[in-house]
Amino acid sequence: MTVRHDHTAPVPPSVEECLRAWAAAGHERIAVAMLVEEHALLAWPAVQRILVVRTGGAAYADWTHLSLRLPEMELSDGEYAFLEVVLAIALGRQVLVDRVLPLGERRLAIVLRALAAWAGADCLAVGVRS
């Protein structure tokens, strides 16, 4: 009998996996789902450095830190507005409805699905009609 050992290091969980595991319920789950679905902003090292706090193999989102540093980040109007809406949901803050204007269709659809989930409407379809 031959025993083989796999000497490759285990692949650490992705940022998305860690955040999903951490944000299991409530507003934070919806905010994390928005970031994961949008994926472009969460892939930026600057956003990860400001938002994601890693502790061992786990991670959590520091929403307050992101809200404080958001004005310093070099973001387009759409990126800034999207993160403002994410923060409003995560932190239970108010945001003006006109913040959705610079989002574009893809990010607007993410926001609408998040609002529907927040309201408990799991059968509301958001997308292009055929």
Side-chain angles (χ1 to χ4, degrees):
M1 178 169 143
T2 304
V3 177
R4 296 180 188 205
H5 296 284
D6 186 5
H7 296 289
T8 58
V11 177
S14 68
V15 171
E16 293 87 355
E17 292 170 332
C18 289
L19 290 178
R20 279 189 174 149
W22 164 74
H27 299 137
E28 291 178 329
R29 180 186 54 79
I30 294 169
V32 166
M34 291 173 72
L35 286 171
V36 169
E37 184 177 351
E38 195 276 344
H39 72 83
L41 289 169
L42 194 53
W44 287 10
V47 171
Q48 287 186 24
R49 189 173 52 255
I50 292 169
L51 174 65
V52 180
V53 178
R54 291 187 178 268
T55 56
Y60 67 91
D62 187 343
W63 303 115
T64 304
H65 191 229
L66 178 61
S67 70
L68 294 172
R69 301 284 307 273
L70 191 60
E72 302 168 11
M73 299 175 71
E74 295 180 15
L75 301 167
S76 71
D77 289 341
E79 293 162 343
Y80 192 93
F82 182 79
L83 288 175
E84 279 188 313
V85 175
V86 169
L87 287 168
I89 290 173
L91 297 172
R93 293 182 178 171
Q94 294 180 356
V95 66
L96 296 175
V97 175
D98 73 348
R99 292 309 295 147
V100 301
L101 296 176
L103 291 181
E105 285 185 31
R106 186 176 67 83
R107 288 187 177 128
L108 178 59
I110 294 168
V111 167
L112 293 174
R113 282 190 290 274
L115 292 175
W118 192 13
D122 58 355
C123 61
L124 183 65
V126 176
V128 178
R129 293 181 187 207
S130 53

